Amino acid sequence: MLKKRLIIAMTGATGAVYGVRMLQVLQTQEEWETHLIISSAGVVNLKHEMNMKRAELTQLADVVHGIDDIAASISSGGFKTEGMIIAPCSMKTLAAVAHGFGDNLISRGADVVLKERRRLVVMPRETPLNLIHIRNMATVTEMGGIIFPPMPAFYSKSDSLMGMVNETVGRVLDMFGVNVDGLYTPWTGL
Ligand SMILES: Cc1cc2nc3c(=O)[nH]c(=O)nc-3n(C[C@H](O)[C@H](O)[C@H](O)COP(=O)(O)O)c2cc1C
């Protein structure tokens, strides 16, 4: 079976759990092939927030690319993917994506996804936001990227942090047609 490829990129913004959970969920989906890239700041946060080493994370992905491997398959538009999720996305990587500054495989990968008009979902995390953060989000949106800040919805009355993470991960994966039972319950009205 030809699998659908999805690039998952993790950066040094807080919220490593989003990238980890996404990979865990996709691992259960036979028709999907994940391509992981993590920045060096992402590795630091992964250790700090989840006590997880890079080597443990890479077990969750089908293909792992080095952040500086600018010749990797996903650095070319000729390599077909369904798109890319940056989870979480730092303001630095957001800036690079917004300005086409492809100096590492995350920003280059996003550049390729945008130029090929594939789906790019960016999960930026910072607070409060300064003007350049907001402008960069607007620029990515103007190019067709989707800005999906990991903001929990309290109306679903989740009783745990993981419940809130699952809901966000479920909503993002839904955008690629990955529907996994139990991640979140779609709103049906009051
Ligand atoms: C514990 C920790 C939390 C951080 N959280 C954020 C954050 O939420 N958003 C952000 O833009 N940068 C955050 N940073 C800073 C980024 O890691 C830093 O700007 C880094 O250069 C980003 O590089 P990258 O995009 O290549 O991963 C954090 C750094 C640390 C150590």
Side-chain angles (χ1 to χ4, degrees), residues 17-172:
V17 67
Y18 290 106
V20 170
R21 191 71 192 115
M22 226 158 255
L23 289 168
Q24 286 171 338
V25 170
L26 287 164
Q27 230 182 5
T28 68
Q29 305 299 301
E30 243 183 50
E31 69 274 29
W32 286 89
E33 177 182 288
T34 53
H35 285 249
L36 169 69
I37 327 159
I38 183 166
S39 69
S40 42
V43 173
V44 172
N45 275 11
L46 182 72
K47 180 81 179 100
H48 176 65
E49 295 180 356
M50 307 203 65
N51 199 25
M52 192 185 261
K53 290 186 179 150
R54 188 184 189 279
E56 288 170 74
L57 177 78
T58 57
Q59 302 296 311
L60 301 174
D62 295 305
V63 184
V64 182
H65 302 281
I67 184 73
D68 292 318
D69 186 4
I70 221 65
S73 55
I74 56 172
S75 71
S76 167
F79 186 78
K80 300 282 189 305
T81 70
E82 300 301 311
M84 178 172 184
I85 302 170
I86 310 181
C89 184
S90 72
M91 294 303 106
K92 178 205 141 190
T93 293
L94 171 70
V97 173
H99 296 276
F101 192 69
D103 72 329
N104 68 32
L105 192 58
I106 295 181
S107 46
R108 171 62 187 166
D111 205 49
V112 168
V113 165
L114 287 173
K115 84 182 172 72
E116 299 295 331
R117 308 298 195 267
R118 296 175 188 151
R119 179 150 288 194
L120 173 68
V121 178
V122 176
M123 297 177 72
R125 196 278 157 197
E126 189 47 277
T127 195
L129 298 167
N130 67 31
L131 184 57
I132 199 63
H133 300 154
I134 294 167
R135 284 196 173 136
N136 286 338
M137 288 186 213
T139 301
V140 170
T141 304
E142 281 162 356
M143 287 192 284
I146 296 170
I147 299 293
F148 196 124
M151 297 179 184
F154 292 90
Y155 58 72
S156 50
K157 300 191 179 176
S158 185
D159 57 4
S160 71
L161 197 57
M162 267 328 279
M164 286 178 164
V165 168
N166 279 338
E167 179 161 337
T168 298
V169 165
R171 292 279 309 276
V172 171

